[in-house]
Amino acid sequence: MKEYLSLSAEVQRAKEQGKPVVALESTIISHGMPYPQNVQTAREVEQIIRDYGAVPATIAILDGKIKIGLDDQELEDFGNSEGVAKASRRDLPYLLATKQKGATTVAATMICAELAEVNIFVTGGIGGVHRGAETSMDISADLEELAKTNVAVVCAGAKSILDLGLTMEYLETKGVPVVGYQTDVLPAFFTRTSEFPVNFRLDDAETVAGTLRAKWDLKLQGGAVIANPIPEEYAMNEADISAVIDTALNEAEANNISGKEVTPFLLAKVTELTDGKSLEANIALVKHNAKIGAQIAVNM
Ligand code: PSU
Ligand code: MN
C-alpha cells in the first residue's frame, strides 16, 4: 500500500512533528474552477490552513502515485493541464497502473486521506443524489464513501443541482452524521439555507472535534459531513441561482449528459450562466471552509 503513497516534503515533516494535516481534493481544481483562478484559489486555501495552525495536503494522482500534498510547480502544472481524468473510487487503480493524471473527487480524496492517516478534509461541496435519481440512479459515490471511510468532510453543503432531500435520506440510511456548523439547516452551497434540517448543530470547532473523536473511538465506521454555510456577504440570491440551476439541468438533459460527466457539466454551466458571480461565491466558501477545517484539525 505504502508504495503508492507519495507525501510532499511539507506533509512528511508535519507527520514527523505530529502536526495536524488537512486534506484537499483536486477535482475542484481540474473540473470545478477555470484556470488560473483554480490554482490561485488552491494556493490561497492552502495558506489559510497554514495560518490556522495545520498543514495542507492537496491530493491528486500523478505518475503512478497518490500524491499527498503538491508542491507549487505540481499544483501549477496540474491546474493548467487539459483533460485530467476525474478520479473517483473505481478509477484509482486504473489511473495508478497506467500512470495517468487523476483529479480526486470527494470519494477518492477520502480514500487517499485515510491511507495517509489524515482524517479532516476540506472542500466546496459534496456529490449526492441527483434530481431524477429514481429513474437515472445517478447517486454520487461520495455518499457511499462517507458511509465507510473515516474522514470528515468540511463543505458548504451541496448544490441544489442535486436533490438535497434525497441526499439527506441516503446519508441517514448509511448512518452518516450531518453536522451544521453554526447552522440548523443544511446549507445549499451558494445560499446559506435550505428547507432541510441538519442532524446536529455544533457551534465551535472543539465540539466538532469531540464528536468525531467519539465516533471513531467507538469504531463507528464512516465519515461525517460538517456543513458550513457560505459567508453572508457572498451568498447568492436564491431565486437567481435556482433559475440558473434549472437552465443547467435542462441543458444537461437536452445534451444527453450522463455518468461522471453530469456534475462537471452542471458546474461549468452554472459558472458560465452567472458570468463568474458563482465562481466568486465558490472561492469565498472554500476559503471559509479551510478556516473551519483547520480549526477542527487543530482540536483533534
Ligand atoms: N460539487 C461541487 N463542486 C465540485 C464537485 C461537486 O459543488 O467540485 C466535485 C467533487 O469532486 C465531487 C464530485 O466529489 O464533483 C462529485 O461528482 P459525481 O457527482 O460524479 O460523483
Ligand atoms: Mn453520478
Side-chain angles (χ1 to χ4, degrees), residues 55-237:
V55 170
T58 299
I59 294 180
I61 309 303
L62 289 179
D63 308 319
K65 298 279 184 201
I66 297 170
K67 291 277 192 177
I68 309 290
L70 300 182
D71 67 29
D72 220 47
Q73 193 57 48
E74 286 170 330
L75 189 62
E76 172 67 29
D77 292 346
F78 189 88
N80 198 7
S81 300
E82 294 284 317
V84 178
K86 177 178 159 192
S88 197
R89 167 175 274 267
R90 65 156 186 215
D91 310 291
L92 289 177
Y94 165 75
L95 293 170
L96 286 168
T98 56
K99 298 192 162 48
Q100 295 181 61
K101 277 191 188 129
T104 53
T105 62
V106 167
T109 306
M110 289 177 74
I111 295 169
C112 300
E114 189 176 54
L115 289 174
E117 293 172 14
V118 173
N119 54 19
I120 304 294
F121 160 27
V122 162
T123 188
I126 56 168
V129 180
H130 282 259
R131 298 200 207 170
E134 59 275 21
T135 50
S136 69
M137 289 187 72
D138 190 350
I139 300 173
S140 175
D142 293 354
L143 298 185
E144 207 54 46
E145 210 58 54
L146 279 160
K148 60 188 166 206
T149 299
N150 302 322
V151 174
V153 183
V154 182
C155 63
K159 289 196 173 87
S160 52
I161 56 172
L162 302 171
D163 187 320
L164 299 185
L166 291 186
T167 301
M168 287 298 285
E169 291 294 346
Y170 197 101
L171 290 168
E172 176 168 286
T173 300
K174 295 292 178 173
V176 178
V178 179
V179 170
Y181 189 81
Q182 299 180 351
T183 181
D184 296 306
V185 294
L186 182 72
F189 198 92
F190 296 120
T191 56
R192 290 175 58 83
T193 60
S194 71
E195 59 185 287
F196 305 99
V198 292
N199 306 143
F200 316 101
R201 173 189 176 132
L202 297 178
D203 287 333
D204 57 84
E206 198 184 331
T207 321
V208 175
T211 304
L212 294 171
R213 225 179 294 118
K215 176 175 166 73
W216 293 325
D217 281 349
L218 292 170
K219 305 256 182 287
L220 296 172
Q221 201 71 20
V225 175
I226 314 299
N228 177 40
I230 182 171
E232 189 88 61
E233 61 272 33
Y234 291 98
M236 296 183 72
N237 177 282

